[in-house]
Amino acid sequence: MSKNIGLFGLGVVGSGYYQITQKIQQFIPKKVVVKDPHKPRALQVAQLAYEADYILEDETIDLILELISDADEAHHIVSNALEKGINVISANKKLIAENLKELLELQQKHGSKLLYEASVAAGIPIIEVLETHYALEPISKISGILNGSSNFILTKIFEEGISYQEALTEAQKLGYVEANPYLDVSGSDAASKLSILSLHAFGAIIHPDNILKLGIEDISHEAVDLAKSHDAVIKLIATATVQEQAIHAFVLPTFLPKTHELAQVAYEYNGIEITSDYQGEQFYKGKGAGSYATGASVLSDVKKLALGKGYAYNKYLQAKNLHHETSSHIDIYLSSSNETIISKLGIQTREFIRNEEGIQLIGKVSLQSLLENQKAIENNAIFIANISQELAHLSIDRLGEKVLVQR
Ligand code: HSE
């Protein structure tokens, strides 16, 4: 059982963890390292320093909590500890997703364990569920809202009618947003989480850079109005499906009918649907961001290690040559004030409107084309959302304007 815990980071997650341990008087860190000596801190911590070696060079430390935002610095801390045979708990989805293979090898080679429940959907113990409850059962689909801040922003826009910027500022005040907000609103954070879930659900390692991701930054009022006129909402959905030996994985704003389970997941909450061979569809919901939700999730990992538990990576060890597939086509809605790169996307357009605000269209496009043009779509402030099957009838014609193409 770990007695001497070294904690890196007293930000949203670290301070949440620290405060909870003070309240329950268990698993209180022996030493804490933070980056910035000048930052004002509400928490009084006796054993505080600013150099990683304060913890890394202390041979009495037998568990490290890596709860910082810088993925490169986190990589140094985590790999250093695992190499020494010290167990680590991390909440850093970017670090974990980008280095899955290496982190698995380090654990195998040095007999150390790495747990990271708080890295995905904080309050939903989804990695534990995949590792144990679904250890032996094939999963064909995992889909959900994996980013609390963007869900908070979308909920505020839809339910309270406030602007994107106001909603983002509020989410930042509440401690939901990453140090770099781009990670949340661009879909990158959700892609890292989807990559981690794909390992535990399917045994597949997909680098998050290879996952198509489009964000919510450029959501237009036309898109919001269109959704409302169809009794729908827009949610940032991360999806991974397996067919035969092919995995399709992407993070996209998505039109969902209001009655859909995921449409009802509001504010900072996350929701995850799992479809598996024997249990069919199941749904999990919980807090996706926030200091106590993530801190408590770290605490649950501390307890798991104290009980001698770790990840078995069953699916990974049994996986048979799954490959990442991007050739399939999806239905999309697009709005943009400039048309420059749109012809490059190879969209099979079903409906198209041009007015003084720009263009809107509905059509079909390949995931590969979106992936290849991801940066250009982002740089040109083009908003693209997937249209769920339930809303296949979505039509911009209902906006009462002249539809130029209708096939
Ligand atoms: N910024 C993250 C989110 C925090 O909003 O989901 C939890 O990972």
Side-chain angles (χ1 to χ4, degrees):
M1 177 151 164
S2 302
K3 294 213 169 48
N4 296 317
I5 298 175
L7 166 64
F8 284 92
L10 271 184
V12 171
V13 190
S15 62
Y17 174 81
Y18 197 88
Q19 289 175 73
I20 295 170
T21 60
Q22 292 287 327
K23 287 180 204 288
I24 63 168
Q25 284 296 304
Q26 287 185 70
F27 300 118
I28 298 170
K30 180 183 176 197
K31 287 185 167 183
V32 178
V33 165
V34 294
K35 186 172 63 178
D36 186 354
H38 307 295
K39 193 168 166 181
R41 297 182 189 279
L43 282 180
Q44 294 298 319
V45 176
Q47 304 268 46
L48 185 79
Y50 307 96
E51 294 299 326
D53 284 352
Y54 179 59
I55 288 176
L56 294 178
E57 293 298 314
D58 180 343
E59 292 189 353
T60 66
I61 295 290
D62 53 12
L63 172 61
I64 285 181
L65 311 184
E66 178 284 297
L67 308 178
I68 65 173
S69 56
D70 182 326
D72 294 331
E73 182 57 23
H75 186 241
H76 167 71
I77 294 165
V78 172
S79 51
N80 185 299
L82 292 175
E83 275 164 16
K84 287 185 188 154
I86 296 174
N87 293 337
V88 181
I89 293 166
S90 171
N92 198 316
K93 45 266 161 140
K94 189 164 162 30
L95 154 81
I96 297 161
E98 289 178 357
N99 300 282
L100 281 172
K101 208 167 174 37
E102 180 199 337
L103 295 170
L104 285 172
E105 283 166 6
L106 280 175
Q107 293 178 76
Q108 260 175 349
K109 188 163 168 204
H110 301 283
S112 37
K113 290 176 190 160
L114 172 67
L115 297 189
Y116 38 84
E117 190 64 74
S119 69
V120 184
I124 311 175
I126 192 66
I127 299 176
E128 169 79 2
V129 166
L130 293 171
E131 274 287 308
T132 55
H133 195 68
Y134 288 95
L136 302 173
E137 182 174 349
I139 291 174
S140 54
K141 181 174 179 185
I142 186 153
S143 176
I145 294 169
L146 300 181
N147 182 266
S149 348
S150 53
N151 199 45
F152 180 88
I153 294 168
L154 290 172
T155 309
K156 284 269 169 185
I157 291 174
F158 270 84
E159 292 192 4
E160 298 176 26
I162 70 171
S163 74
Y164 169 87
Q165 201 50 51
E166 283 173 305
L168 172 60
T169 306
E170 199 176 324
Q172 280 174 310
K173 278 192 199 138
L174 291 165
Y176 301 152
V177 181
E178 298 297 303
N180 175 4
Y182 169 82
L183 295 173
D184 293 296
V185 298
S186 65
S188 297
D189 179 75
S192 293
K193 291 165 175 170
L194 187 62
S195 161
I196 296 171
L197 292 185
S198 295
L199 171 65
H200 293 276
F202 312 118
I205 291 187
I206 314 173
H207 194 286
D209 286 353
N210 298 329
I211 295 178
L212 165 67
K213 50 195 148 326
L214 297 176
I216 60 161
E217 259 176 309
D218 299 304
I219 189 164
S220 56
H221 70 84
E222 290 95 340
V224 174
D225 291 348
L226 179 66
K228 286 184 173 172
S229 71
H230 285 75
D231 282 328
V233 293
I234 298 172
K235 294 287 189 186
L236 186 63
I237 304 291
T239 304
T241 51
V242 170
Q243 281 162 343
E244 313 275 310
Q245 295 303 313
I247 296 199
H248 305 254
F250 49 86
V251 177
L252 290 172
T254 304
F255 283 88
L256 292 174
K258 268 186 183 165
T259 49
H260 195 287
E261 248 161 346
L262 286 171
Q264 291 165 18
V265 175
Y267 298 101
E268 79 275 24
Y269 278 80
N270 284 183
I272 302 172
E273 281 180 346
I274 297 179
T275 311
S276 61
D277 284 11
Y278 307 115
Q279 298 178 76
E281 273 182 31
Q282 308 222 76
F283 185 69
Y284 300 84
K285 180 183 160 186
K287 285 207 173 81
S291 190
Y292 279 159
T294 38
S297 189
V298 172
L299 181 65
S300 78
D301 275 351
V302 175
K303 184 63 185 172
K304 272 174 234 154
L305 283 175
L307 294 170
K309 293 184 183 176
Y311 301 144
Y313 295 108
N314 247 24
K315 295 273 170 74
Y316 176 69
L317 296 174
Q318 290 164 15
K320 304 176 206 79
N321 289 329
L322 293 169
H323 66 277
H324 187 203
E325 179 64 57
T326 53
S327 64
S328 56
H329 283 65
I330 56 167
D331 289 318
I332 57 152
Y333 161 88
L334 177 154
S335 64
S336 172
S337 54
N338 98 49
E339 286 183 46
T340 35
I341 70 129
I342 289 168
S343 58
K344 279 201 207 156
L345 299 177
I347 300 169
Q348 297 159 33
T349 307
R350 170 160 68 82
E351 292 183 2
F352 182 96
I353 286 175
R354 181 185 287 114
N355 60 22
E356 58 286 353
E357 308 229 23
I359 65 149
Q360 292 181 79
L361 66 79
I362 284 178
K364 233 181 217 323
V365 70
S366 78
L367 290 177
Q368 181 60 30
S369 167
L370 292 179
L371 193 58
E372 280 164 14
N373 292 287
Q374 196 169 267
K375 270 286 147 221
I377 293 169
E378 200 176 274
N379 293 341
N380 286 279
I382 296 168
F383 178 70
I384 294 181
N386 188 13
I387 300 172
S388 63
Q389 274 174 358
E390 299 91 328
L391 286 168
H393 61 284
L394 195 84
S395 169
I396 45 182
D397 203 13
R398 288 171 62 149
L399 298 176
E401 297 184 70
K402 192 168 160 43
V403 173
L404 302 177
V405 182
Q406 190 149 29
R407 281 186 238 146

